[in-house]
Amino acid sequence: MTDRLELLPAVDVADGQAVRLVQGEAGSETGYGDPLAAALDWHAGGAEWIHLVDLDAAFGRGSNAGLLADVTQHLAGKGVKIELSGGIRDDASLARALGTGATRVNLGTAALEDPEWTARVIAEHGDQIAVGLDVRGTTLAARGWTQEGGDLWEVLERLDAAGCSRYVVTDVTKDGTLRGPNVDLLREVCARTDAPVVASGGVSSLEDLRVLRELVPVGVEGAIVGKALYAGAFTLPQALDVAGRP
Ligand SMILES: O=C(O)c1ccccc1N[C@@H]1O[C@H](COP(=O)(O)O)[C@@H](O)[C@H]1O
């Protein structure tokens, strides 16, 4: 068993550009240019994974599907694993997402609004499907985090029963704020499921990554890092030194 924390640098895309939002609020974005250039930077820094999000699809206001497919194919060709999310809500969008060569895809809204479809695709695709549990407190958020999507613990129990292989847990109130991860939330989710958990939201420092690495034995498998890398709080090689290298 590994004690390494997997790191997933984030590339969130809105209107064709890499951006970071604050608490997922539309209009709060800071731009970071070309998504492929950002992804290639993370590859050059040693990224094993990239967490790639179509924000326009998540908000239901557009699509960057072609661009994300290009980024995925390009990076997958270099051996980088892609976790793709945003707007994957039906058979067509799931087939397109898996067809890009992404290693896995994250379901958000669909996992809250369409339990039967979600159970079916989990049964069909196994660990190619993860579910993003995006929460404020213990209330889930859907549709670009603009609508409430139910109780975290009830949904976790349902998804566990469906055989969900992995959860990406985001404290929406921490995301993009550089205020540190919600360690209590992560511990509680890990205590209630045997599936691995990817931590998302709030990472601000190398110390945060040390803390998250200490949670690996209880079930935290990885951490998504966004704003801290883009803002230069630390470099990806420094982060990998703390998290452990593949
Ligand atoms: O990542 C964000 O900053 C974000 C902000 C607002 C909404 C969604 C966001 N990200 C990810 O989008 C998917 C959910 O998309 P969908 O509901 O399945 O269409 C999920 O991975 C969120 O973490």
Side-chain angles (χ1 to χ4, degrees):
M1 187 169 144
T2 180
D3 75 334
R4 184 170 73 84
L5 178 74
E6 290 181 352
L7 290 185
L8 299 87
V11 179
D12 288 14
V13 180
D15 202 15
Q17 297 294 302
V19 299
R20 297 306 305 160
L21 303 185
V22 180
Q23 297 179 327
E25 289 285 337
S28 68
E29 52 263 53
T30 305
Y32 294 99
D34 176 35
L36 178 58
L40 288 171
D41 273 355
W42 305 141
H43 169 58
E48 174 192 15
W49 279 97
I50 288 175
H51 173 77
L52 187 57
V53 184
D54 187 339
L55 284 178
D56 292 318
F59 280 102
R61 65 188 180 196
S63 169
N64 300 278
L67 173 57
L68 267 60
D70 288 347
V71 173
T72 300
Q73 279 160 21
H74 204 103
L75 273 291
K78 293 178 176 297
V80 179
K81 292 179 264 192
I82 301 291
E83 177 178 88
L84 191 56
S85 71
I88 303 167
R89 300 180 185 176
D90 56 23
D91 286 332
S93 49
L94 176 61
R96 188 174 56 204
L98 291 172
T100 61
T103 302
R104 69 176 176 245
V105 303
N106 291 353
L107 308 180
T109 299
L112 307 179
E113 296 186 354
D114 199 343
E116 285 175 17
W117 179 79
T118 300
R120 174 166 65 78
V121 299
I122 286 171
E124 279 174 13
H125 298 286
D127 70 0
Q128 284 185 290
I129 307 272
V131 170
L133 298 171
D134 305 325
V135 293
R136 293 184 178 89
T138 56
T139 300
L140 288 153
R143 298 197 172 262
W145 300 350
T146 61
Q147 291 182 21
E148 294 190 354
D151 176 70
L152 170 61
W153 308 127
E154 288 175 16
V155 171
L156 182 61
E157 202 175 315
R158 166 172 60 80
L159 290 165
D160 265 353
C164 183
S165 65
R166 182 172 281 96
Y167 300 101
V168 179
V169 176
T170 304
D171 181 335
V172 171
T173 67
K174 297 269 194 175
D175 205 54
T177 66
L178 298 173
R179 287 196 291 131
N182 186 337
V183 171
D184 291 343
L185 171 71
L186 294 165
R187 277 191 183 282
E188 192 163 359
V189 173
C190 288
R192 289 178 184 242
T193 180
D194 292 332
V197 167
V198 177
S200 175
V203 169
S204 67
S205 65
L206 294 173
E207 182 55 25
D208 287 341
L209 295 177
R210 282 187 198 98
V211 169
L212 290 175
R213 187 174 178 173
E214 285 170 11
L215 299 184
V216 170
V218 300
V220 172
E221 175 187 65
I224 293 170
V225 188
K227 189 76 164 276
L229 284 173
Y230 287 93
F234 49 77
T235 66
L236 183 56
Q238 287 173 322
L240 288 164
D241 285 342
V242 170
R245 288 175 184 277

